[in-house]
Amino acid sequence: MNKSIAVIVPAYNEEVLIEKTINSIPDIVEKIIIVNDCSTDNTREIVEVLKKDNEKIQLINFEKNSGVGKAIVEGYELAFEQGHDIGVVMPGDAQALPEDFNNLIKPLM
């Protein structure tokens, strides 16, 4: 049985690592939801450029900094509203390893 997977990426001032994070997300993922928590650097602009070449990316921009918890909740809500079966959080600082992702979703698939 195929499951639709969305990755939620909470991001606050991640201009240095956000591209690496997005590029590390496995191809099996159908949607990449970046939740920009009112970054004061170029995180938003970098994601907007990447979005032009990657239709999987969806960008949510908060008008005020609301914290990582709210960013994660908003990302999950959007993922499930769009009909994805599985939601996985990967931080915007490229700390999550692809092996960790695969180990996490394998039992769910």
Side-chain angles (χ1 to χ4, degrees):
M1 179 178 191
N2 274 350
K3 302 279 186 185
S4 173
I5 303 170
V7 168
I8 297 94
V9 181
Y12 177 71
N13 290 345
E14 299 293 355
E15 68 181 6
V16 173
L17 295 171
I18 194 68
E19 184 171 3
K20 180 178 180 183
T21 298
I22 291 169
N23 291 336
S24 74
I25 295 173
D27 290 337
I28 190 172
V29 171
E30 292 183 23
K31 181 64 72 174
I32 303 168
I33 301 170
I34 311 293
V35 185
N36 175 33
D37 194 12
C38 197
S39 294
T40 57
D41 66 359
N42 291 317
T43 299
R44 178 181 186 156
E45 292 78 9
I46 291 167
V47 174
E48 286 175 347
V49 168
L50 294 171
K51 205 174 114 163
K52 291 177 184 175
D53 293 324
N54 187 340
E55 71 279 352
K56 293 180 179 183
I57 297 173
Q58 183 167 358
L59 177 61
I60 299 172
N61 290 299
F62 285 176
E63 295 300 315
K64 68 174 192 161
N65 184 271
S66 301
V68 68
K70 181 161 176 58
I72 291 170
V73 168
E74 291 280 328
Y76 273 130
E77 286 178 351
L78 180 60
F80 296 125
E81 283 171 12
Q82 293 177 349
H84 299 286
D85 301 302
I86 300 169
V88 178
V89 174
M90 291 182 74
D93 60 5
Q95 293 296 314
L97 301 172
E99 308 86 65
D100 296 335
F101 176 88
N102 291 331
N103 291 334
L104 182 64
I105 66 160
K106 195 173 188 177
L108 300 172
M109 297 301 281

